[in-house]
Amino acid sequence: MGSGPGQADVIEIQLEAHGGIRGRCSECRRAAPGYDRLPERRWQFVPLWGIPTYFLYAPRRVECSQHGVIVEHLPWSEGKRPVTCAMMGFLARWARRLSWRETAQVFQVSWEAVYRSVEWFVQWGLAHRALQEVKAIGVDEIHWGRGLRADNFLTVIYQIDAGCRRLLWVGKRRPQATLGRGLKALGPEVVQGLRFVCSDMWKPYLQVIAAQAGQAMHVLDRFHITTHLNQAVDQVRRSESSRLRAAGKARAQRLKHLRWGLLRRGSRIRGRVRQRVHALLTSKLATARAWELKETFFDFWKYKSVTWAGAFLDYWTERALRSRLEPMRRVARMLRAHEELILNWFRAKGEISAGTVEGLNNKIRVVTRRSYGFRTYEAMEIALYHNLGRLPEPEITHRFC
Ligand SMILES: [Zn+2]
């Protein structure tokens, strides 16, 4: 035990090889005759009573008939890492509950040590995860960090089967090639076994999915369609608001501070905002008409029959196209162009749930926001798999959380 003034500040545990048992080759794990010993090394172990703890050991080299002179297999360690597997697993588990920086502070290790531990944990999990049961995936793009450069977008692939929802893959940027890489990473067996793919109307995604998973039913996601509608209403409001202000009209006041109120569902608007939205609706403003169109569209999702849903879609897009509100017309044209994929929503009903992609996106945002501790994209990617991948974990002797 190494000691400072009056108190142990580090525990060192001296390990010795059993004299009667031969070392094993670190490649093939077969026992082999000894060759020589290397100088002593230190591995960090799980802290005992809060005191940093190390293993000390001089590894033997063995002479393997197949692999020649080689360092022996050490059950507590992997490769040249200075941290034991038990400690890496310990840190990795805590790094899901605390930020990486906090984990490093609490257990008196470097940020780098936490990063490497999580990385090891995740790589083990990715290598051992089962993908046979993946039948439904959701594909999306997510913005992260600051700015709108291509590097600030992620392409994500989720499993959205009712029994298992998790992050399957994440890649930088969002062009076709990225999604192609993601599907390749899942492997042809998984891609060809897919029954449902859920995504936005983003053209490159549509093309890749049609080309590679043509057998799967492609569903345009309710959450994305709602987002497009909300954006269109907001565009109408903004341009109308600046038009009225330029003309000095008092009615511009009516549109002020209504942005968030208008995004909500009508039935969920309360209090003062409700009165203001009501006042708006009785006006002849373009924003009111756009909002009313958006609200009407919610009825679409209530249909059970594909035929009736299709009839509603025709009716709604017809109205939107005659509305003289360009943003709404744009949404209507988009919906018409993808009518079949939108109606797939009703064909797939019960098989995929509405909120899954949106829910997982929100969880990703929680992780990326906590991420100012992540100095690189790679670190963030590891953190996403670690928190949302539901990966299998290596068997580890010390389990504290
Ligand atoms: Zn060997």
Side-chain angles (χ1 to χ4, degrees), residues 111-128:
W111 185 91
E112 187 76 13
V114 176
Y115 174 17
R116 296 299 162 204
S117 299
V118 177
E119 183 183 47
W120 170 77
F121 210 66
V122 164
Q123 277 165 0
W124 193 95
L126 288 174
H128 291 83

Side-chain angles (χ1 to χ4, degrees), residues 224-257:
H224 284 115
I225 294 170
T226 306
T227 308
H228 287 296
L229 282 167
N230 278 334
Q231 282 169 351
V233 173
D234 198 48
Q235 277 168 18
V236 173
R237 181 192 62 84
R238 267 185 296 155
S239 64
E240 183 169 50
S241 170
S242 52
R243 205 167 55 234
L244 291 177
R245 246 182 294 128
K249 292 199 178 148
R251 290 203 297 175
Q253 280 302 321
R254 286 201 169 153
L255 294 174
K256 249 185 156 177
H257 310 301

Side-chain angles (χ1 to χ4, degrees), residues 36 40 74 112 150 188 192 208 212 240 290 306 309 350:
D36 64 356
E40 191 173 75
L74 305 171
E112 187 76 13
Q192 277 146 36
V208 173
Q212 297 206 26
E240 183 169 50
V306 180

